[in-house]
Each structure stands twice: as C-alpha cells, then as structure tokens.
Amino acid sequence: MSSGRRISILIIFCALVIIAFMSSLINGSVDISVSQVLSGIFEIGNADIDETKQQILQNIRLPRTIVAMLVGINLSLSGAILQAVMKNPLADPHIIGISSGAGLFGIFVMLVKSDAGSLVTPAAFIGAMLAALLIYILAWKDGIRPIRVILAGVAVSAFLGAGISAMLIFYSDKVHGALLWMVGGLSARSWNHVEILYPYTIIGTILTFLGANHLNILQLGDEVAKGLGLRVDLVRTILTATAALLAASAVCVVGLLGFVGLIIPHTARLLIGSDYRFLLPAAALLGAAVLTISDTFARTIFAPTELPVGILMAILGAPFFLFLLRKEL
C-alpha cells in the first residue's frame, strides 16, 4: 500500500473524528443544533443559545465527549502495542487481564481510601504492570506463544476478577458506584476526569509513536531484531509499561471497558496495513471516533435511560473475539 493511500485513510479518520465529536455534542435529551454548538463553544457564528443549553454543552456533553475520545485513544494504542509485543493478534488489555490488574488496585484505592482520588491512576498502573508480569511468567516456556498468552491472560483475569468481587462483598455499602465502574461507562464524566486523563494520554501517545519503528522490528522475530541491534527485552519492557499506563489511566476514569483495544487495532490494520508508523495514528483516530459514536448511541437509543457504553462494546466485541479465535486456531 502506498504512503499516499495511507495518508488519505488517515485524513478520512480525522474527518470521522470530527463527525463523532459534533454528533456527541448535538444529540441527547435536549436537541442542540450545529450552529448553536459552534456558537456556544467555539464562538463561531451568532446563533441564539440559551443559558441552559450553554451549560449542557460546556459542563456535560463537552467533557464527556473529550473523555470518550481520550479513552478511545488510550485503549486502542494499548491494544496495538500488546498485539505487537506479545506477538498475539488476540491481545487486548481487557481480555488478557491487564485491565483487571488495573481494576483490582484501582478499586482497592476507591473503596478503602475514597478521599485519595489522585492515587487511583498510580495504583492502577502498578496493578496493570504486575498483571502483565504475571502473564509473561505464566506464558513463558522456551519462548512466548500466542495461545499461551491468551490462556494465561484469561486465568489471570479470572483470578483478579475474583479479587474485585471479594472487595465488593467486604465493602458492600459502596458497591453501587463500584458496579457501574466495573461495567465501564462515561456517565457523569466531568472536566475533573479530563484533567486526570489527558496527561497520561499525551505521555503515552508520545512514547507509543516514538516506539513505532521498534514495533515494526519486533514483528520480524526476536532473533532478527537482536541481529539488527535492538535490545529486545528492554524495548518489550518499556512498550509493555507504556501499554499498561495507557490502559490503567483509561480504567481509572471509565472502569473496565473491554474490547476497544481488540477491535480498533485490527480494523485499522485491515484498512491501512501493518506498518506501525501509520497503524498507530490510525488506531488512535479510529478509537476516538468509534468510542465517541458508540457512547452517543448508547446514551440516546433508550433515552432517557442510559445504556453504559461498556455493554455495547461487549455486544460488539465478543463475536469479533470469537471470530479471531477461530481464525487463529
């Protein structure tokens, strides 16, 4: 595939992000026109917009939309990294247990130290890294094989999920908020969540893009990569830590939102190829667009009742995972 065609696809993805962004701001229980959005938020034009709609735009829909885009970027990049590092097309932070590790440590801080919100993301990162390390240890036997990673990840995810369930029993008075967090959703996300998330998105995205060439080399196999002078173990550790950071930051804000890191990188790969210099930005853009569109659909289809976007992603992701599993086996 030529570079020109890949750039054209990236431009289309950028347009899709803009469409998803505007759609999220326009649709909801209160109808707001495109001209009112442009006037109320971007100060373009002079459309009339009352104070109520202005507050809805600036304090409800805009921060929620930004959080959706940042989470979509984080989980998509995390999945793309893990699929390359673990040499497993089925790798996803949710499926192989990294999100569960982040969830266990994050929910522990939420339940035990509810006033220590700033500690949730660091704790979730530690949990994600420990889960990744445990998966590597369990899957290693004269090297890493994709199917062993998946089996080890499923086992680790089940074990950590049991730990989360146990904590919910011990802290049953706080279980309602924790259950919503486990499903994965964007309800009531505010500017505080944007402030928590965006530094990790910026840092993680920069580190991921800097590692694009390393990811390309890793696809050639460890022996070839070492022959080309790549310090395979160090690179794999740094990239896994980056994937864990991206997943952990998303988990601490929206909960255990699954399958984004599985579906989006595969879709981007089918459309733009396996060159990570193009695949990574494509996955980031597509992840932002798809999660934003999915959240808009989830919160409007049964209005005024809101469906958590995690349920919708599971409905879409589970058949996709089974398809890939049959294809790989």
Side-chain angles (χ1 to χ4, degrees), residues 267-292:
T267 304
R269 188 177 290 108
L270 290 173
L271 294 173
I272 208 165
S274 299
D275 187 340
Y276 275 82
R277 295 174 300 172
F278 297 96
L279 175 59
L280 292 174
L285 291 170
L286 191 59
V290 168
L291 189 57
T292 304

Side-chain angles (χ1 to χ4, degrees), residues 31-49:
D31 292 329
I32 303 175
S33 66
V34 174
S35 59
Q36 288 175 326
V37 169
L38 295 176
S39 178
I41 294 180
F42 304 106
E43 298 182 356
I44 300 174
N46 56 357
D48 292 331
I49 179 169

Side-chain angles (χ1 to χ4, degrees), residues 107-120:
I107 206 168
F108 176 80
V109 173
M110 290 173 62
L111 294 177
V112 177
K113 294 286 290 182
S114 57
D115 58 339
S118 60
L119 298 178
V120 174

Side-chain angles (χ1 to χ4, degrees), residues 4-308:
R5 183 178 176 184
R6 285 170 170 159
I7 292 173
S8 298
I9 292 173
L10 290 176
I11 293 173
I12 293 173
F13 285 174
C14 288
L16 186 61
V17 169
I18 295 172
I19 293 170
F21 180 78
M22 293 301 297
S23 177
S24 179
L25 297 180
I26 292 167
N27 292 291
S29 57
V30 175
D31 292 329
I32 303 175
S33 66
V34 174
S35 59
Q36 288 175 326
V37 169
L38 295 176
S39 178
I41 294 180
F42 304 106
E43 298 182 356
I44 300 174
N46 56 357
D48 292 331
I49 179 169
D50 58 41
E51 183 65 25
T52 300
K53 290 184 177 180
Q54 183 80 356
Q55 290 299 319
I56 291 173
L57 274 174
Q58 293 188 346
N59 297 320
I60 298 177
R61 292 189 188 173
L62 185 58
R64 177 173 180 151
T65 302
I66 294 174
V67 169
M69 289 186 165
L70 295 178
V71 169
I73 291 170
N74 286 13
L75 292 178
S76 299
L77 291 179
S78 179
I81 292 171
L82 292 174
Q83 288 168 14
V85 168
M86 295 188 172
K87 301 177 183 177
N88 193 328
L90 302 176
D92 164 83
H94 183 75
I95 293 172
I96 66 172
I98 288 180
S99 289
S100 295
L104 179 64
F105 280 61
I107 206 168
F108 176 80
V109 173
M110 290 173 62
L111 294 177
V112 177
K113 294 286 290 182
S114 57
D115 58 339
S118 60
L119 298 178
V120 174
T121 301
F125 172 68
I126 293 172
M129 283 301 297
L130 290 176
L133 178 62
L134 182 58
I135 292 165
Y136 262 112
I137 292 173
L138 293 175
W140 181 269
K141 184 180 179 182
D142 299 324
I144 292 288
R145 289 183 58 192
I147 190 63
R148 283 205 298 263
V149 173
I150 286 295
L151 294 176
V154 169
V156 169
S157 182
F159 177 77
L160 296 174
I164 293 174
S165 299
M167 280 196 293
L168 295 180
I169 293 173
F170 285 121
Y171 294 90
S172 57
D173 57 322
K174 303 177 182 179
V175 72
H176 179 69
L179 284 175
L180 292 176
W181 186 81
M182 286 180 66
V183 172
L186 290 156
S187 178
R189 294 306 179 263
S190 65
W191 288 111
N192 289 334
H193 297 100
V194 175
E195 293 174 0
I196 291 171
L197 190 56
Y198 85 85
Y200 298 100
T201 302
I202 293 173
I203 294 170
T205 301
I206 291 173
L207 290 174
T208 303
F209 285 2
L210 289 175
N213 285 327
H214 297 318
L215 290 170
N216 281 335
I217 295 173
L218 283 176
Q219 304 314 297
L220 303 174
D222 288 2
E223 295 302 321
V224 175
K226 290 176 181 178
L228 293 173
L230 188 69
R231 299 174 66 182
V232 173
D233 293 334
L234 177 61
V235 169
R236 183 171 280 125
T237 300
I238 293 173
L239 289 172
T240 301
T242 302
L245 177 66
L246 289 165
S249 60
V251 166
C252 78
V253 171
V254 300
L256 300 178
L257 180 60
F259 294 107
V260 178
L262 175 70
I263 297 173
I264 301 303
H266 269 288
T267 304
R269 188 177 290 108
L270 290 173
L271 294 173
I272 208 165
S274 299
D275 187 340
Y276 275 82
R277 295 174 300 172
F278 297 96
L279 175 59
L280 292 174
L285 291 170
L286 191 59
V290 168
L291 189 57
T292 304
I293 292 172
S294 298
D295 180 58
T296 303
F297 183 77
R299 65 180 169 83
T300 57
I301 185 174
F302 297 119
T305 302
E306 182 175 313
L307 181 71

